[in-house]
Amino acid sequence: MTANNGLLTVYRNLPDEQRLDIIRSASPDLRAQLAVIERELAMDRSPGALAAVLTHGKEMQARHLDIIDRIYQRISAGERIRAMVTMPPRAGKSRRTSRWGPTWYLRRQREHRFMLASYAAHLADDHGRWVRNTITEHAPLLGIDLKYGSQAANRFDIAGHEGGMVTAGVGGALTGRGAHVAVVDDPFKGSEDAGSPTQRDRVWDWWQSVLLTRLEPQGSVLLVNTRWDDDDLSGRLLKEEPENWIVIDLPAIALTADDPLGRRPGEALWPERYNEDDYSRIRKSVGERVWWALYQQQPRPLEGGVWQWAWITANRISPAAFRGVNLTRSLVAIDPSGGAGNANDETGITAAGRDTNGELYLFADRSGRHGANTWGTEACLLAIDTDADAFVVETNFGGDMTRQVLIQAWQDLERSGRTQGRPMPRIIEVNAKQGKRLRAEPIAQLYEQGRVHHVGEYPELERQMVTWLPGMDSPDRMDAAVHALTELADPASAALGAGTYRDSRLTGRR
């Protein structure tokens, strides 16, 4: 039995379950024709599905690659998108972004121009050559072929249509017609390249004067890279126009609870290829700076201004080891958001403690963009969780309001039974009259002496510490940590917590 064109057309638009029912009851001849349609539908679905068909299932698939597929699907459907995806090396990003993605897109949008750039022209040409060869090899299946006389690796056109692809190195020319999609895959070769202010400016100028000027009015951009420097192309775009970008940050090891893949902190990106133990070995091999930049997408400077990385990393302890520490005091420090500058967008909320030997421990960071009605609750819950005996609160930008926020939050939690019968921690107000450097340097010296221990890792807080230079607005996470450690390190307050407690809440801690 041979199916007519009308039946085949209807079949294409049926839901999956109905198509499956038809396949089950079809004759061998009809089933063969339906198999062709199923293959075409699969190739239309996504770059990953196209890759699976053309490689007979051998192309690697993973959840993080599905994210790149979804970006391509949205662009093909007509959305104007600016998307930035950061991920570690050897995660398949270039194959999906710069090879299968363009192949799939040109099959779907044959009248569109596709533009691809990488840090070197030869690398971009390699991607273009791969796409060209794939189209040529699978032309009958893909339903597209290349125009005779326009089949160079760095520029080719689709036969019978206006679409095609052009490639170039970052910094090079992108001549010809405009582009509906532009992909920039790794604009910097490595740390030396990204570490050069001259090279960073050169890439930025190229971005503004070359790439953006070649885009069609509704053109989309996909920037996929690993991070090398806080001021690399991704970093500068996020500083200049963060509202324009969809940011999908995929570190090798998940750092936060809002991970794009829903991973818990500590879980690997692609455990089938590199699990947590594999990444632990890689971290030891490549060193901290390369690990945090290339694998965790958290670029860090070669050395700090007031703090240095080695002072933090060399004295870090695990949560398991911390369970054996006998604390004499613990407190929660708060630096409410306020004042001028972008550095003061967050409320700093940290917890720290001191042991019987005078060693200091920072063991929680719940800082964030909390409103006035939420930071008090967050700080009080942290005090309950950590059995804190005091709050240390900077009052420069709030005065008596900061005290009232804490009291009100504690009373609300008390009424709901969440304080577990504990007395409210003492409120120690700090009016930071000294300059930022005068407050920070004594604490940095304690880090240098190995007397401060971070319990686990706090990427954002630690990045703020080592990138801060005197004269800059100091971020609130760092300020909160400094307030906490200053109070704990003060010999005058070491014995009784800056004052006596009638309820003997420190009994048994010394």
Side-chain angles (χ1 to χ4, degrees):
M1 174 181 177
T2 301
N4 59 44
N5 292 334
L7 173 60
L8 295 179
T9 300
V10 170
Y11 176 84
R12 290 176 182 273
N13 298 311
L14 293 175
D16 292 348
E17 291 185 2
Q18 291 187 33
R19 296 204 315 273
L20 184 59
D21 289 339
I22 292 174
I23 291 173
R24 287 169 177 163
S25 61
S27 66
D29 287 343
L30 177 56
R31 189 173 298 173
Q33 295 180 67
L34 297 179
V36 173
I37 295 176
E38 287 294 332
R39 184 175 60 198
E40 292 175 351
L41 291 174
M43 289 192 294
D44 283 343
R45 194 170 299 126
S46 70
L50 173 69
V53 171
L54 296 187
T55 65
H56 305 288
K58 295 179 182 178
E59 180 68 20
M60 293 181 293
Q61 307 290 342
R63 290 191 304 153
H64 64 281
L65 300 178
D66 292 340
I67 290 178
I68 296 175
D69 283 352
R70 287 194 289 272
I71 293 171
Y72 270 107
Q73 289 169 332
R74 292 175 62 181
I75 295 173
S76 180
E79 288 191 59
R80 180 181 181 272
I81 285 179
R82 296 286 191 273
M84 182 186 303
V85 181
T86 58
M87 64 173 68
R90 311 304 301 166
K93 66 179 179 62
S94 289
R95 283 186 64 84
R96 187 58 54 89
T97 301
S98 303
R99 297 189 170 188
W100 289 113
T103 305
W104 179 84
Y105 186 85
L106 290 173
R107 179 178 184 273
R108 296 277 297 167
Q109 301 292 346
R110 303 175 189 191
E111 307 300 328
H112 285 194
R113 306 293 302 176
F114 196 103
M115 186 165 59
L116 186 142
S118 191
Y119 63 80
H122 70 83
L123 181 59
D125 292 351
D126 284 347
H127 293 316
R129 184 177 296 105
W130 190 96
V131 174
R132 179 201 65 184
N133 293 347
T134 299
I135 291 175
T136 301
E137 179 183 354
H138 299 284
L141 279 177
L142 294 172
I144 57 174
D145 206 346
L146 301 184
K147 184 181 296 185
Y148 179 78
S150 178
Q151 300 184 16
N154 65 345
R155 183 191 176 98
F156 53 82
D157 299 317
I158 304 299
H161 301 276
E162 293 295 318
M165 184 171 180
V166 61
T167 70
V170 169
L174 284 164
T175 57
R177 286 167 286 178
H180 298 82
V181 181
V183 166
V184 179
D185 183 359
D186 277 336
F188 294 98
K189 184 177 182 179
S191 61
E192 184 176 353
D193 200 25
S196 165
T198 300
Q199 180 63 9
R200 293 199 301 271
D201 289 342
R202 188 176 78 88
V203 170
W204 182 249
D205 290 342
W206 171 86
W207 172 270
Q208 292 183 307
S209 63
V210 178
L211 184 133
L212 294 182
T213 62
R214 306 309 304 170
L215 278 181
E216 292 290 340
Q218 293 302 311
S220 293
V221 181
L222 174 56
L223 171 60
V224 182
N225 59 186
T226 53
R227 298 296 309 277
W228 276 112
D229 190 276
D230 192 49
D231 189 43
D232 59 17
L233 182 57
S234 289
R236 196 171 295 194
L237 287 168
L238 293 177
K239 292 172 187 173
E240 297 286 338
E241 47 183 71
E243 69 282 357
N244 293 338
W245 289 88
I246 298 170
V247 180
I248 302 169
D249 183 32
L250 295 166
I253 298 295
L255 295 171
T256 62
D258 60 350
D259 182 77
L261 295 175
R263 295 177 294 168
R264 294 187 299 272
E267 292 185 350
L269 176 66
W270 198 357
E272 294 82 2
R273 277 176 61 79
Y274 297 100
N275 60 30
E276 289 86 347
D277 291 338
D278 295 326
Y279 277 129
S280 179
R281 288 190 290 270
I282 289 172
R283 181 174 183 174
K284 291 179 182 178
S285 299
V286 301
E288 287 298 296
R289 182 171 186 263
V290 172
W291 167 255
W292 283 102
L294 197 59
Y295 288 86
Q296 293 297 87
Q297 315 312 310
Q298 297 270 340
R300 301 182 170 192
L302 289 170
E303 59 183 47
V306 176
W307 274 270
Q308 294 187 19
W309 280 117
W311 302 348
I312 298 173
T313 58
N315 300 294
R316 195 188 308 278
I317 68 170
S318 68
F322 182 61
R323 286 195 286 269
V325 174
N326 180 23
L327 293 180
T328 61
R329 289 197 67 200
S330 64
L331 51 82
V332 171
I334 305 110
D335 188 277
S337 61
N342 293 331
N344 292 313
D345 289 339
E346 296 183 320
T347 294
I349 303 174
T350 63
R354 177 187 174 105
D355 72 6
T356 54
N357 298 317
E359 297 290 293
L360 306 180
Y361 301 86
L362 192 145
F363 47 82
D365 176 19
R366 294 192 186 173
S367 307
R369 288 179 172 82
H370 304 296
N373 59 337
T374 59
W375 73 254
T377 300
E378 192 67 36
C380 289
L381 289 173
L382 180 57
I384 294 168
D385 291 345
T386 59
D387 198 21
D389 59 81
F391 294 112
V392 178
V393 189
E394 181 172 314
T395 59
N396 286 35
F397 298 104
D400 292 338
M401 184 179 296
T402 56
R403 170 182 284 273
Q404 188 57 42
V405 167
L406 282 173
I407 293 173
Q408 182 64 50
W410 189 271
Q411 290 175 346
D412 290 344
L413 292 172
E414 197 169 40
R415 282 191 291 270
S416 64
R418 300 176 69 182
T419 61
Q420 303 170 18
R422 289 187 173 92
M424 180 177 175
R426 178 190 183 100
I427 298 176
I428 303 171
E429 297 181 357
V430 176
N431 190 277
K433 296 179 181 179
Q434 288 184 315
K436 303 287 187 182
R437 180 165 191 156
L438 290 176
R439 285 187 284 129
E441 281 190 336
I443 301 305
Q445 289 171 8
L446 295 177
Y447 276 83
E448 185 179 10
Q449 296 164 8
R451 292 189 52 206
V452 182
H453 310 275
H454 286 197
V455 182
E457 297 180 351
Y458 305 97
E460 186 60 25
L461 168 62
E462 293 168 7
R463 184 190 66 80
Q464 289 180 358
M465 284 180 162
V466 299
T467 56
W468 181 74
L469 297 170
M472 295 171 57
D473 289 330
S474 58
D476 296 289
R477 293 174 191 257
M478 187 191 85
D479 279 350
V482 168
H483 292 322
L485 296 170
T486 298
E487 170 68 19
L488 292 168
D490 183 3
S493 65
L496 294 173
T500 59
Y501 292 108
R502 294 179 180 177
D503 51 35
S504 302
R505 68 188 68 182
L506 294 180
T507 300
R509 286 197 174 182
R510 285 180 290 280

